[in-house]
Amino acid sequence: MKFDLSTTQVGFAVRPAETIRKLSGLLAAGVPANQAYAHFQAEFDQFSSEAQEQFQQTWVLAQNLGGAPTHALNRLAEVLDFQAAQLVQIQLAYAAPKATARLVMGLPFFALILGQLLGLNPIGAITDSPIGFISFALGLILLVLGQLWVQNLLEKAKPTHHDPGQFLDAVAIGLAAGLDPTRAEIEARNSLISSTSPESESAAALLERQVTEQKLRECQQLALTTGSSIRHLVADAAQGLREAQRFSQSQQINRLQIRLMLPLGLSTLPAFVLLAVAPMALGMLTQ
């Protein structure tokens, strides 16, 4: 499951976490599951596609396993709140280098227009002088190359959000329903198989799945050694994976701000000289 920052919006008319908590409250008060679900059907339809998928997987799994769904729903509400806050942070961090790149790319043309308004006649130097035209053409080529370079860096660093703790949370639902750890893992894997096909997994997704399964094995071993509740260990491990993802994306965006200095220094600044400074100088000389 992925959240594309170019299309995902955080501010929904209906907050999924709030609706899910209301549903959990009705269930805790003794309202039958079907009746409680039908009461919020209109609000469920207003969820984003990603939130709907998360909710349906949690709801169906809790219903199939026969456990009390209130804990699973409250846990899902916490996850959705965390994801929304994380998405806002990532969007704000990514917006800064993106806006900087756009601003610097537009500076040569702004300087060109400003020079023309000041009477330096850079446009005349470009159209009337072969040197001015060659300078402008070279600057334009450098600017286009720099723009392509910047867009490539932005695209590689563009954060997408998916829930790395989803599988562990599904295991926790099975454990809360009274299943043994092995059976809970099988049921969790079956519940997510429709959204994640091993044959179509990328290398990064495969590595993440291996890390998740390793975390599950660590929780099982720790629970076996200490006698502690494996369900709480698994839930904490899921939250730890989410925190690690947030830290990794923040580091990636911080590195992006440094990497953007290369195309700006090697391409955009020379293009600025060729597009604006040189034509303005030629315009002054011709006058």
Side-chain angles (χ1 to χ4, degrees), residues 159-171:
T160 56
H161 184 83
H162 62 286
D163 186 6
Q166 185 179 16
F167 172 71
L168 293 181
D169 274 344
V171 174

Side-chain angles (χ1 to χ4, degrees), residues 106-159:
L107 282 179
F109 299 102
F110 175 77
L112 196 64
I113 296 174
L114 182 61
Q116 188 69 25
L117 294 176
L118 292 176
L120 301 178
N121 196 27
I123 297 179
I126 293 172
T127 56
D128 299 337
S129 170
I131 297 178
F133 178 78
I134 294 174
S135 173
F136 180 80
L138 290 177
L140 195 59
I141 292 174
L142 279 178
L143 190 66
V144 171
L145 292 177
Q147 178 70 10
L148 293 176
W149 192 353
V150 167
Q151 289 299 323
N152 183 53
L153 291 176
L154 290 173
E155 188 63 29
K156 287 183 178 179
K158 185 177 183 179

Side-chain angles (χ1 to χ4, degrees), residues 5 30 41 50 56 71 92 104 110 122 128 167 171 175 179 217-218 227 229 253 262 278 280:
L5 294 183
Q41 182 65 61
E50 296 85 4
Q56 289 297 332
H71 177 78
L92 293 177
V104 174
F110 175 77
D128 299 337
F167 172 71
V171 174
L175 294 172
L179 301 182
R217 301 292 174 261
E218 292 175 357
S229 171
I253 292 175
L262 288 176
M280 283 191 289

Side-chain angles (χ1 to χ4, degrees), residues 266-287:
L266 298 178
S267 177
T268 305
L269 290 181
F272 178 82
V273 173
L274 293 171
L275 284 171
V277 177
M280 283 191 289
L282 287 173
M284 292 176 61
L285 291 176
T286 56
Q287 292 180 13

Side-chain angles (χ1 to χ4, degrees), residues 243-258:
E243 291 286 356
Q245 180 195 58
R246 182 191 64 81
F247 178 78
S248 175
Q249 290 186 339
S250 297
Q251 290 294 99
Q252 189 175 15
I253 292 175
N254 290 335
R255 289 192 295 267
L256 171 64
Q257 296 177 354
I258 299 175

Side-chain angles (χ1 to χ4, degrees), residues 168 171 175 181-182 185 212-234 237:
L168 293 181
V171 174
L175 294 172
T182 302
E185 180 181 352
T212 302
E213 293 179 351
Q214 181 182 355
K215 288 289 184 182
L216 179 59
R217 301 292 174 261
E218 292 175 357
C219 292
Q220 292 172 342
Q221 183 63 34
L222 184 59
L224 183 63
T225 304
T226 63
S228 58
S229 171
I230 185 175
R231 178 166 64 87
H232 292 94
L233 292 176
V234 170

